Amino acid sequence: MQTIIRPASIADAEAICHIYNHYVLNTSISFESDVVSTQEMAQRITEVTATYSWLVCVQDERIVGYAYASKWRVRAAYQHAVESSVYLAHDVGGKGFGSLLYRALIEELKKLRLPIHTVIGGVALPNAGSVALHEKCGFEKVAHFREVGKKFGKWIDVGYWQLVLQPQS
């Protein structure tokens, strides 16, 4: 089996939708409630990759996961902070693809023209797999907000994990 990590393109939008929409429809991991169309996902990929990184993990020609970074907040002082997202096909968890993607994304962020100082990962809780992934990749839990989202009739907590990439200056 061959596994590669490569930059995403709009041609990957359909496969990415297949992964993501599973979480939209079946879990509270994503706070979206409506499926994302291939066209909308292609637009998201285009917007993100204009500034940041979006990677896909491909195993034997099948996209099994993706990771990307996007702007954390709009104010100028936040320009060196990004929010990260990692999603895996629902049938491939626990096989190391998440770690491969996250580590590759972090390396890509270090290479950007705009220096990224910190990466922030939000996790809908409970989600033991995502918590373990963040902590395995060196993130530390920095916040826990109670009942900030509501999906499927239940209130959902969100935790935030942070990884500082460069020494503070």
Side-chain angles (χ1 to χ4, degrees):
M1 291 190 187
Q2 182 183 11
T3 302
I4 62 166
I5 306 290
R6 64 166 173 77
S9 73
I10 58 172
D12 300 321
E14 184 176 355
I16 290 170
C17 279
H18 182 73
I19 292 169
Y20 183 62
N21 285 331
H22 167 81
Y23 294 97
V24 171
L25 292 172
N26 300 296
T27 76
S28 58
I29 289 171
S30 167
F31 279 11
E32 291 196 69
S33 56
D34 297 323
V35 297
V36 176
S37 70
T38 300
Q39 181 179 3
E40 170 64 21
M41 190 61 74
Q43 180 63 35
R44 292 179 186 187
I45 294 167
T46 299
E47 289 172 3
V48 166
T49 58
T51 307
Y52 303 107
S53 301
W54 189 315
L55 303 173
V56 292
C57 179
V58 183
Q59 183 181 49
D60 296 331
E61 299 182 27
R62 174 189 174 207
I63 293 177
V64 295
Y66 65 94
Y68 66 92
S70 57
K71 184 179 291 202
W72 167 243
R73 296 283 186 257
V74 296
R75 303 287 188 259
Y78 292 121
Q79 67 182 311
H80 301 286
V82 295
E83 183 169 12
S84 58
S85 294
V86 177
Y87 284 90
L88 298 176
H90 70 278
D91 60 339
V92 300
K95 297 181 179 177
F97 297 124
S99 297
L100 283 173
L101 272 166
Y102 227 153
R103 289 189 176 114
L105 178 65
I106 291 164
E107 289 307 310
E108 288 297 312
L109 292 172
K110 290 177 181 178
K111 298 175 191 174
L112 291 178
R113 235 182 15 201
L114 175 66
I116 302 302
H117 179 72
T118 191
V119 183
I120 301 164
V123 179
L125 299 171
N127 186 336
S130 187
V131 169
L133 174 62
H134 282 86
E135 293 179 355
K136 181 178 181 181
C137 291
F139 287 70
E140 294 180 52
K141 188 174 184 182
V142 294
H144 187 122
F145 297 103
R146 289 184 171 77
E147 299 180 357
V148 294
K150 191 172 188 181
K151 190 170 178 183
F152 304 133
K154 291 182 173 182
W155 286 106
I156 304 158
D157 292 1
V158 174
Y160 281 94
W161 277 256
Q162 180 181 17
L163 176 68
V164 175
L165 297 182
Q166 303 172 21
Q168 194 169 12
S169 56

